[in-house]
């Protein structure tokens, strides 16, 4: 059972989801909303994510590394420039991630979206 403290941990936090797998993106969005987040997206491409970031501030982001063959690193760079914390939700192991991004927390697929939503407040609080 989810505690009241957990469900409000992301209240008023805008969380961008960049994920090309519809069902996973939807599950993540539902889990994050359950914890109080205002979900931005989900979006399925770097172009969509960069356009959103140019228009809307976010407090955190969850990024899939490979979006149908397109790498998400330009979005990661934009988030770093804005000082926004993010994590990678990916099937890639740490060795496959470029050195410049090895410090980014990774959630390896498959995972339970609710577990990710529970962990995200710790990331947001670091910002």
């Amino acid at each position: 059972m989810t505690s009241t403290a957990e469900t409000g941990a992301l209240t008023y936090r805008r969380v961008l989801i960049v994920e090309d797998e519809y069902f996973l993106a939807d599950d993540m969005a539902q889990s994050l909303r359950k914890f109080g987040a205002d979900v931005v997206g989900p979006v399925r491409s770097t172009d969509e994510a960069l356009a959103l970031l140019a228009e809307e501030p976010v407090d955190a982001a969850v990024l899939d590394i490979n979006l149908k063959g397109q790498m998400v690193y330009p979005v990661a760079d934009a988030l770093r420039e804005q000082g926004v914390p993010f994590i990678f939700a990916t099937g890639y192991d740490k060795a496959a991630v470029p050195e410049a991004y090895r410090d980014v927390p990774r959630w390896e697929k498959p995972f339970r979206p609710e577990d990710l939503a529970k962990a995200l407040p710790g990331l947001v609080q670091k910002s």
Side-chain angles (χ1 to χ4, degrees):
M1 177 142 189
T2 306
S3 74
T4 304
E6 287 176 332
T7 58
L10 291 171
T11 301
Y12 305 118
R13 300 291 189 161
R14 296 177 50 79
V15 181
L16 172 64
I17 298 174
V18 182
E19 171 62 61
D20 61 351
E21 294 180 32
Y22 173 79
F23 291 110
L24 180 56
D26 188 55
D27 287 348
M28 282 192 285
Q30 288 180 35
S31 293
L32 289 167
R33 285 186 189 109
K34 186 169 96 174
F35 283 76
D38 179 11
V39 174
V40 178
V43 296
R44 297 167 53 172
S45 72
T46 59
D47 290 341
E48 288 178 277
L50 291 170
L52 267 176
L53 287 174
E55 295 177 15
E56 300 183 44
V58 298
D59 298 302
V62 179
L63 311 177
D64 181 7
I65 291 178
N66 187 334
L67 304 166
K68 300 212 183 303
Q70 184 182 46
M71 298 311 217
V72 79
Y73 301 124
V75 178
D77 294 338
L79 290 165
R80 279 187 171 164
E81 287 174 19
Q82 295 177 13
V84 176
F86 60 94
I87 65 169
F88 291 133
T90 184
Y92 285 23
D93 65 18
K94 188 173 185 168
V97 177
E99 185 67 36
Y101 304 100
R102 292 229 176 115
D103 63 321
V104 176
R106 281 179 319 99
W107 279 78
E108 287 190 33
K109 294 177 181 177
F111 59 83
R112 290 184 48 222
E114 188 166 309
D115 292 341
L116 173 82
K118 285 179 185 177
L120 199 57
L123 175 67
V124 173
Q125 291 171 358
K126 292 177 185 176
S127 63

